[in-house]
Amino acid sequence: MTGSVAAARALREAGDYPGAEACLRRAITGVEAGLGVDAPELVVLLNERGILGKYRGDFDAAERSYRRALAICELHDAGAGSGGEVAAILHNLGGLAHARGDARAAEPLARRGIAVREARAGADPLALAADRAALAAILIDLGHLAEARAVLTAVLETYQRALGPDHHEVGVTLHNLGSLQYRDGDPAAAADTLRRALAVKQAALGVRHPDVAITLHNLARCRRLLGDPAGAEEYLRAAIGILDGAVTEAEPTLVSCRRQLDELRRAGAPPPTAG
């Protein structure tokens, strides 16, 4: 199953979400037919399918995949021994709740995932950094900015040391730091950090990857708050051009981009308030 997961992940990372879904569907069907609907081999496939569902904006499908994967882990008592798969699923369930806009539901899932991973001997420091980075993004939306800043600073140091300054995870962490600065009422600093994040993401993923659009969206919010509607519109149009057709119409970033573009078209539309 490792090959199927790797192939689907490569397609997802390249922005080919339909291709990734087709690859995972074939692999899951094959495992179910050969090994049964509760086979442990399904866990990594279902987890990857959940990740894909989140990226596509199909949150219900993503949750079904994650919950099914977690149930299979519990059925085979995977949490008592390895814990790694359980931690990854809890991380992703927390991220999904966050994407739905429910940071309060996301926080305990994220913290539980970190606890599960920390309890393992020889836990992967990069996986733990990813868990903590996801928690920091949730903390930002809850307004716990001091804790989030401390977590993100440590995570950024870990990623830069282990992966180098141009890795995608560095770009994601910079994006989250920029979001924190925006929420903390400093859109100018946020815009600088988000531009750094954008450069890293574009170099790592390509300029048309849907993950790039999320940073373009946040840059547009900064430009609006800084009194630059033309700059905001440019970022929004670029983000929409990337997301249109690649994600569902209900995907939150696409919805927000279109709403903000509509606001900019109306005379006298007020800019968003920080926080």
Side-chain angles (χ1 to χ4, degrees), residues 16-248:
D16 183 1
Y17 295 167
E21 169 62 24
C23 179
L24 288 168
R25 185 169 55 249
R26 286 193 300 270
I28 290 170
T29 300
V31 172
E32 289 173 336
L35 300 175
V37 296
D38 293 322
E41 290 81 0
L42 285 167
V43 170
V44 292
L45 292 166
L46 289 167
N47 189 47
E48 180 62 30
R49 196 177 199 180
I51 294 170
L52 177 62
K54 179 190 170 187
Y55 272 73
R56 295 180 69 190
D58 192 348
F59 294 159
D60 290 342
E63 182 157 8
R64 287 194 297 271
S65 291
Y66 289 145
R67 294 290 181 186
R68 185 180 170 195
L70 188 59
I72 293 172
C73 284
E74 291 169 347
L75 178 66
H76 296 279
D77 201 25
S82 69
E85 290 173 344
V86 172
I89 296 165
L90 289 168
H91 169 123
N92 291 337
L93 277 168
L96 182 62
H98 187 209
R100 288 183 186 272
D102 192 350
R104 292 194 181 280
E107 183 185 9
L109 289 164
R111 291 193 187 276
R112 182 181 162 203
I114 290 170
V116 169
R117 200 180 302 276
E118 286 179 331
R120 298 183 65 210
D124 180 356
L126 289 178
L128 192 53
D131 292 341
R132 289 170 175 160
L135 173 62
I138 294 164
L139 292 172
I140 291 170
D141 280 356
L142 289 172
H144 304 327
L145 301 186
E147 182 183 1
R149 189 185 299 274
V151 171
L152 284 174
T153 299
V155 166
L156 186 61
E157 291 174 357
T158 297
Y159 281 152
Q160 288 177 326
R161 183 172 60 252
L163 304 173
D166 300 322
H167 194 275
H168 171 230
E169 294 295 349
V170 171
V172 171
T173 307
L174 287 168
H175 172 97
N176 288 334
L177 277 169
S179 298
L180 186 155
Q181 291 167 322
Y182 180 90
R183 293 293 293 270
D184 207 22
D186 193 348
D192 287 342
T193 302
L194 288 167
R195 279 192 290 267
R196 289 172 59 200
L198 181 65
V200 173
K201 282 186 175 186
Q202 288 177 327
L205 301 175
V207 297
R208 296 287 303 171
H209 194 281
D211 192 44
V212 169
I214 300 172
T215 302
L216 290 168
H217 165 271
N218 285 12
L219 274 165
R221 296 182 71 192
C222 290
R223 296 319 308 171
R224 288 189 69 188
L225 204 61
L226 291 167
D228 180 14
E233 182 172 346
E234 182 178 351
Y235 283 129
L236 289 170
R237 289 188 182 280
I240 291 169
I242 292 169
L243 293 174
D244 192 21
V247 300
T248 69

Side-chain angles (χ1 to χ4, degrees), residues 57 59 99-100 217 248-257 259:
F59 294 159
R100 288 183 186 272
H217 165 271
T248 69
E249 286 298 311
E251 196 276 330
T253 301
L254 181 57
V255 170
S256 180
C257 284
R259 185 187 69 246

